[in-house]
């Protein structure tokens, strides 16, 4: 349950730090960069789930 909690809480802690930096590129209203970064993170994170072999 600890790993599940970290998996849920860590992104919510890191996004408020990373989002202003992504929005600042392009004059402060660059939501395209923010959504592109989210899409890239999702595409890179999806294959990582394949390495989970089983649940105890």
């Amino acid at each position: 349950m600890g790993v599940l909690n970290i998996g849920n809480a860590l992104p919510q802690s890191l996004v408020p730090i990373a989002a202003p930096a992504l929005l600042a590129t392009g004059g402060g209203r660059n939501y395209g960069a923010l959504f592109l970064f989210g899409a890239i993170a999702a595409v890179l994170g999806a294959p990582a789930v394949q390495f989970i072999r089983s649940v105890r």
Side-chain angles (χ1 to χ4, degrees):
M1 284 185 50
V3 174
L4 179 64
N5 187 31
I6 291 171
N8 284 329
L10 189 62
Q12 295 175 7
S13 301
L14 296 178
V15 168
I17 296 168
L22 290 168
L23 290 173
T25 60
R29 297 175 74 82
N30 194 2
Y31 287 98
L34 184 63
F35 286 117
L36 181 64
F37 180 77
I40 291 170
V43 168
L44 293 177
V49 177
Q50 293 178 353
F51 295 112
I52 299 174
R53 295 185 183 184
S54 67
V55 178
R56 293 184 193 183

